[in-house]
Amino acid sequence: MIEQRKSIHGTWSSRWTFILAATGSAVGLGNIWKFPYTAGESGGGAFVLIYLACIFLIGIPIMLGEIMIGRRGRSSPANTMSYLAKQAETSQAWTLLGATGALAGLLILSFYSVVAGWAMAYIFDGFQETSAVAIKADFKIFQANPLALIFWHSLFIFITVMIVARGILKGLEAWINTLMPMLFVIIILLCIYAMQTGAFIEGLSYLFKPDFSKITSDVILTALGQAFFTLSLGMGAIMAYGAYMPADQNIGKTALTVASLDTGVALLAGIAIFPIVFANGLEPSSGPGLVFETLPIAFANMPLGALFGTLFFILLSIAALSSSISLIEPGVAWLVESLKTKRSYAAMALGCFAWILGIFSALSFNLIKEFEIYEMTVFNFTDFLTSKIMLPMGGIFIAIFVGWVMKKEDILEELQMREGVIFKSWYFVVRFIAPIMVGAVILNFLLPDHLKSKASVFIQSILKLFI
Ligand code: PHE
């Protein structure tokens, strides 16, 4: 018999709701803004290959673990960890995993909201300017305006807090299921536009033809970090949503669906963007502005482009919102449970924290551009710290908790699986492969430069043996 802990927050009404909510969390700026520009900065195909490998070999197995922990604990990630640690008669230090995850969420929200603000500002662009040079210059002018960036950032945090204050259960079910497919349709339209730019093949081969000499320890860590970021893994967002999942829903299939949808959207965004980059003589490595410098060209040149452009940035902002609420939720749920505060107070307090930090991220594109932490601007440093360190570290500990702390019988029961090949391979990945690989990638990155380049040569030659 499956003994289910009663959920503190209630469960979602239908099995689609978890998929929608988790996809809502996963699909966002990470797919449409971060994936293309990171792929462009990291040299294209080789990065994409490693990214896909990270999604399927490490991301999906850890996602399964995270959902499972969430559903078994049925409360905020921090309290879930504390409850499951008690059940496994082990140290309460595991609560820290939930707590640092909640912190990672707020740190991500601080810079995520700045970019979401750009997307909101572009709703009003009008998409009349057809020249690539002028569009790029417009984006530069926008970035140089601290007040504009802070205004849009503040508005985005405000909307996020308003939604979270009302409660995720009420906020989510209604809207994701119609708007997400619409976003998908516009991305397909953009891909069709990309097909007739004259640089479609060039774009595709940039994205999918790996040049192994481009693989460095930095690129591998970037790909791994991107996999965690885009799947919303390693900080408790998926765990927090797992707490609302109905008891009889199959976790494995669900994780696979969410990850496939997420990966599909990212790849399609890349397929739309890179042909536009090459057809207009732009640089793939132009950085965080890439999407805002390319897609307006497409909208200005396609039939009904102004309409589609406006709609696209509205939908992108909403996709960003359905991710941002999951960034703040682990912290909010924790405060509500532990301090018995109102949801609205908790959301406001944490929203304020992310808002203040985010102001520094916004200013790091203009007034404090020169201010650097470890040779990175505030924006880049916050992104680096969360995507490349905190999320992968969180992933390691989630894998260790599932693989070494939880009882195997409990896991089998929660996953509703028999001990067949699929379970055994997954269990092996979670116990050994995921912690070792992720740990190795982080350590390799921290090596001194001369050892790092030796490691890169070694990895490149191994890859060449296989592919
Ligand atoms: N996955 C989201 C995106 O791709 C961002 C996110 C990261 C959300 C981590 C929650 C947790 O936009």
Side-chain angles (χ1 to χ4, degrees):
M1 199 193 71
I2 298 181
E3 198 196 308
Q4 279 284 339
R5 188 179 184 208
K6 215 173 146 311
S7 171
I8 294 174
H9 309 274
T11 54
W12 274 322
S13 51
S14 91
R15 33 194 71 234
W16 269 106
T17 312
F18 178 83
I19 297 191
L20 287 174
T23 311
S25 165
V27 175
L29 298 170
N31 311 59
I32 290 164
W33 158 75
K34 201 165 194 245
F35 171 75
Y37 102 74
T38 320
E41 279 185 341
S42 309
F47 166 86
V48 175
L49 186 75
I50 300 176
Y51 158 79
L52 290 175
C54 290
I55 295 267
F56 287 96
L57 297 179
I58 295 172
I60 294 179
I62 290 186
M63 184 185 262
L64 236 118
E66 216 182 304
I67 301 175
M68 184 196 61
I69 293 180
R71 191 168 70 183
R72 202 148 184 96
R74 288 254 183 252
S75 43
S76 68
N79 286 332
T80 282
M81 290 313 299
S82 145
Y83 167 75
L84 292 183
K86 209 177 287 161
Q87 238 189 10
E89 289 163 17
T90 166
S91 160
Q92 279 295 308
W94 283 101
T95 312
L96 267 178
L97 178 57
T100 47
L103 176 66
L106 297 177
L107 294 176
I108 296 177
L109 179 61
S110 74
F111 71 88
Y112 198 84
S113 156
V114 173
V115 182
W118 303 348
M120 289 204 294
Y122 268 69
I123 295 174
F124 305 97
D125 183 88
F127 309 102
Q128 299 303 322
E129 181 57 69
T130 49
S131 120
V133 178
I135 286 173
K136 194 175 162 121
D138 281 349
F139 183 71
K140 274 234 157 66
I141 295 170
F142 175 51
Q143 296 288 285
N145 183 344
L147 285 182
L149 295 198
I150 291 177
F151 169 77
W152 291 108
H153 158 65
S154 311
L155 184 62
F156 185 81
I157 292 265
F158 178 76
I159 302 175
T160 303
V161 167
M162 292 302 282
I163 297 174
V164 175
R166 288 179 54 221
I168 297 274
L169 273 179
K170 282 178 232 141
L172 263 178
E173 285 207 49
W175 66 343
I176 303 174
N177 42 0
T178 46
L179 299 178
M180 284 273 227
M182 275 167 76
L183 180 63
F184 193 74
V185 170
I186 300 192
I187 298 175
I188 300 275
L189 284 180
L190 285 167
C191 289
I192 296 174
Y193 171 82
M195 277 177 199
Q196 44 82 53
T197 49
F200 191 59
I201 303 296
E202 197 182 342
L204 280 194
S205 60
Y206 181 79
L207 204 52
F208 294 113
K209 221 166 125 199
D211 170 358
F212 291 119
S213 67
K214 295 246 165 79
I215 296 177
T216 59
S217 46
D218 200 9
V219 167
I220 299 178
L221 181 61
T222 307
L224 181 77
Q226 175 63 17
F228 275 94
F229 187 92
T230 192
L231 294 177
S232 308
L233 290 184
M235 51 67 72
I238 292 294
M239 203 186 281
Y241 281 3
Y244 305 113
M245 188 184 197
D248 56 353
Q249 186 164 1
N250 182 308
I251 295 181
K253 271 191 210 149
T254 307
L256 207 60
T257 312
V258 173
S260 311
L261 286 171
D262 184 77
T263 309
V265 174
L267 292 180
L268 285 173
I271 293 173
I273 286 167
F274 285 106
I276 304 176
V277 169
F278 293 116
N280 292 282
L282 296 167
E283 274 304 314
S285 60
S286 75
L290 189 67
V291 175
F292 299 90
E293 292 162 9
T294 49
L295 295 188
I297 306 176
F299 292 126
N301 288 301
M302 67 162 68
L304 293 179
L307 177 72
F308 285 128
T310 310
L311 200 57
F312 173 83
F313 283 103
I314 293 178
L315 295 172
L316 182 60
S317 307
I318 294 176
L321 266 176
S322 64
S323 302
S324 69
I325 53 183
S326 74
L327 284 165
I328 199 173
E329 175 63 15
V332 170
W334 188 30
L335 286 188
V336 170
E337 287 165 13
S338 312
L339 305 179
K340 309 265 177 293
T341 50
K342 277 199 190 153
R343 263 193 92 80
S344 48
Y345 294 156
M348 273 191 273
L350 299 184
C352 261
F353 176 77
W355 176 65
I356 292 171
L357 273 182
I359 288 179
F360 292 98
S361 269
L363 294 181
S364 73
F365 290 94
N366 36 66
L367 296 184
I368 55 167
K369 210 158 54 192
E370 313 298 332
F371 174 73
E372 290 188 336
I373 313 170
Y374 293 110
E375 296 171 31
M376 287 174 262
T377 62
V378 176
F379 180 92
N380 288 335
F381 177 74
T382 321
D383 178 15
F384 166 82
L385 178 67
T386 49
S387 310
K388 297 188 185 168
I389 308 286
M390 293 180 89
L391 298 186
M393 289 293 286
I396 295 184
F397 285 109
I398 288 167
I400 293 179
F401 190 79
V402 173
W404 298 92
V405 177
M406 284 180 80
K407 286 204 202 81
K408 202 173 175 185
E409 305 84 69
D410 291 352
I411 298 176
L412 283 164
E413 179 186 86
E414 194 66 44
L415 293 178
Q416 293 153 33
M417 273 175 126
R418 272 177 297 117
E419 232 186 307
V421 188
I422 300 188
F423 176 81
K424 281 196 178 131
S425 348
W426 170 77
Y427 202 50
F428 184 75
V429 169
V430 169
R431 296 191 90 179
F432 300 102
I433 310 275
I436 293 175
M437 292 284 276
V438 177
V441 172
I442 299 179
L443 281 180
N444 179 31
F445 178 79
L446 298 175
L447 286 178
D449 280 344
H450 65 285
L451 289 179
K452 236 193 217 174
S453 56
K454 282 210 177 94
S456 304
V457 174
F458 176 69
I459 295 162
Q460 285 167 16
S461 44
I462 294 203
L463 275 172
K464 276 188 198 130
L465 281 183
F466 284 103
I467 310 172

